[in-house]
Amino acid sequence: MPLAEVLLALELVGTFAFAVSGALLAAKKGFDIVGSLLLASLAGLGGGVIRDLVLGYGPIAFHAPLYLVPVGVAVLAVFLRLIQEDRLRRTLLAFDAVGLSLFCVMGTFIAFQAGLNPVATVLLGVTTAVGGGTLRDIVANEVPQIFNPDGVYAAPAFLGAVATTAALEWGLFNAVIAVVVAGLVFAVRIMALRFGWRVPLAELPRRSRGA
Amino acid sequence: MPLAEVLLALELVGTFAFAVSGALLAAKKGFDIVGSLLLASLAGLGGGVIRDLVLGYGPIAFHAPLYLVPVGVAVLAVFLRLIQEDRLRRTLLAFDAVGLSLFCVMGTFIAFQAGLNPVATVLLGVTTAVGGGTLRDIVANEVPQIFNPDGVYAAPAFLGAVATTAALEWGLFNAVIAVVVAGLVFAVRIMALRFGWRVPLAELPRRSRGA
Amino acid sequence: MPLAEVLLALELVGTFAFAVSGALLAAKKGFDIVGSLLLASLAGLGGGVIRDLVLGYGPIAFHAPLYLVPVGVAVLAVFLRLIQEDRLRRTLLAFDAVGLSLFCVMGTFIAFQAGLNPVATVLLGVTTAVGGGTLRDIVANEVPQIFNPDGVYAAPAFLGAVATTAALEWGLFNAVIAVVVAGLVFAVRIMALRFGWRVPLAELPRRSRGA
């Protein structure tokens, strides 16, 4: 199967997953279906729109209406309760994790294709991965996942972007690698949630230097 | 009267109306006049700036200082209490509705001129219409109007963008059509507020499928 | 010393100062070190990214990884408590003021170089100066400094942008002028905080016109 088709499929699946997370958040907050559509669009397309603005492309969603299909399907699936939040509030986080893992690979790949240097490639990959979810949470007036101390969020996306960049620089990138890296990012994110993994806080605990 | 002048006038009126909504919100929240200027600029220019970034133009406000005039007038009018919030808090919503209806037509028209496909034209029209008000509310830490269950907000803008796109595709668009479509969007928005019209929630009520 | 090097140095110092303000806010809110990195990046690079998007350039941070160095140093300095908030919460505001004063000069200069008219130059200078801090506060769910009634914020940036534009238009701009204007902006901002200077509110006090 050619690379281009696999990557498009991954991007559409990632868009769907993030869009579901947006529609579930809209349902949780009691928004109406138009708010659901907006939040699903922001979550599903926001990361890619930021990426494309940074690269100076017109946003993909406006030129390729295909990307609106997974958003519409996601909103409908949540509206009909085909997908709904479970009691442990894990459904939203699971879909968000799928989007995060696919978008960190795709964002990194597209940044590489645009000719950015490796540091910028990693940075834009992470931005693409966390951008949509962060916009979703800001607009819905939630504390963005990226700041939530219950489990690491940006760190797995960062590792995925580094792995993808390395594969691209060394000429090893292909559809299998893309799926494997995304799968690992997803696994790290879910295990972090399950086992309560943490990264250090923004500053060392007081007295840690003097004692 | 030539089309171009009517459209520019509508855009300036829409900018003024949204700017008033921003200055009124600043007054309501006890911000100072600089905050009022910022919130009026975000509301009045935000939708157009997003639209122009998406289309890859330089934002109009930076190249055409003319657009700053309605913003300045709006801030001054609110500062001098020539326009102020009434007890039912309807003044802000009325000015917001004027901006919404004019910007959905103008945003759609400019997207069409840029050569976007019809789906993208509608999408960008709605984004232009709701963008400025949403930025205004996010920055002022309010729940954006678009999520407010008290009356439909994006739906009339969506209908207006569809009607404008249809008129453009069929070669029927002119200054009269622009004003009529904007007037209908305004009427739907105001009637939705007055009569408490609702759109369905983001998910069906529980048990609705099984019962 | 040539102008270009001085300006680059000022921009890097401004980036560092804003990045420290972001990392201090992350520490205050109990975010982890990844959140600190994000908030420092938004504060340090956000104003410049908005500026570059408006000017149609690719964002500088993605093409010139050099700009990531002051961000990383700032996050590390806060993590190791080499810089920490004092009891009067003045450290964050002081670093924010350094960023504000340097970025209003640099943003104005870069807008002038891009060939904008004087009004747009001032506008983009102020946007660059207040953009990063405003993004930082919105994402961290704080009321942006720009709306905080405790001291003027955008006003000194506005004066600095006007002074820089005047110097540029009259052919008088050089490295010394840049430093002097930035120093004055910083002094006004700090004195406004110290002495509780205010600008008028968004609307006149009730009855002020009739009495």
Side-chain angles (χ1 to χ4, degrees), chain C residues 120-163:
Chain C
T121 304
V122 169
L123 194 63
L124 194 52
V126 175
T127 303
T128 307
V130 307
T134 302
L135 283 178
R136 173 197 68 208
D137 293 341
I138 291 173
V139 169
N141 220 10
E142 297 272 294
V143 176
Q145 283 296 331
I146 203 167
F147 295 135
N148 195 328
D150 298 344
V152 301
Y153 187 76
F158 177 77
L159 296 178
V162 169

Side-chain angles (χ1 to χ4, degrees), chain B residues 101-123:
Chain B
S101 51
L102 291 172
F103 273 30
C104 83
V105 175
M106 293 306 305
T108 305
F109 175 70
I110 290 171
F112 178 84
Q113 280 193 312
L116 297 197
N117 62 63
V119 172
T121 305
V122 169
L123 195 63

Side-chain angles (χ1 to χ4, degrees), chain A:
Chain A
M1 193 159 38
L3 181 60
E5 264 119 71
V6 175
L7 294 179
L8 177 61
L10 293 183
E11 182 126 331
L12 291 174
V13 172
T15 302
F16 173 75
F18 267 136
V20 168
S21 77
L24 285 172
L25 183 59
K28 181 176 148 196
K29 303 206 74 156
F31 293 162
D32 63 28
I33 197 158
V34 176
S36 177
L37 201 54
L38 179 79
L39 222 45
S41 302
L42 267 179
L45 307 172
V49 168
I50 295 173
R51 180 197 66 208
D52 291 348
L53 284 177
V54 164
L55 293 175
Y57 302 160
I60 211 162
F62 291 98
H63 293 292
L66 177 60
Y67 284 83
L68 298 175
V69 175
V71 174
V73 173
V75 169
L76 202 64
V78 169
F79 178 69
L80 297 175
R81 289 184 174 273
L82 303 176
I83 302 173
Q84 53 184 322
E85 193 68 322
D86 65 17
R87 278 184 199 137
L88 297 170
R89 303 191 172 281
R90 281 183 307 209
T91 315
L92 195 162
L93 291 174
F95 277 92
D96 183 272
V98 172
L100 182 81
S101 52
L102 290 172
F103 273 29
C104 84
V105 175
M106 292 309 303
T108 304
F109 175 70
I110 290 170
F112 178 83
Q113 280 193 311
L116 296 196
N117 62 64
V119 172
T121 304
V122 170
L123 194 63
L124 194 52
V126 176
T127 304
T128 308
V130 307
T134 303
L135 284 177
R136 174 197 68 207
D137 294 341
I138 292 173
V139 168
N141 220 10
E142 297 274 294
V143 175
Q145 282 296 330
I146 204 167
F147 295 134
N148 195 328
D150 298 345
V152 301
Y153 187 76
F158 177 77
L159 296 179
V162 169
T164 306
T165 300
L168 284 162
E169 291 285 335
W170 297 334
L172 300 172
F173 189 78
N174 59 39
V176 175
I177 295 282
V179 173
V180 168
V181 171
L184 288 173
V185 171
F186 178 78
V188 171
R189 168 67 180 146
I190 292 297
M191 285 195 296
L193 279 172
R194 176 73 187 73
F195 300 113
W197 292 353
R198 303 287 166 90
V199 289
L201 290 181
E203 56 183 2
L204 290 174
R206 200 165 286 276
R207 290 171 188 272
S208 68
R209 283 163 66 226

Side-chain angles (χ1 to χ4, degrees), chain B residues 64-83:
Chain B
L66 177 61
Y67 284 83
L68 299 175
V69 175
V71 173
V73 173
V75 169
L76 203 64
V78 169
F79 178 68
L80 297 174
R81 288 185 175 272
L82 303 176
I83 301 173

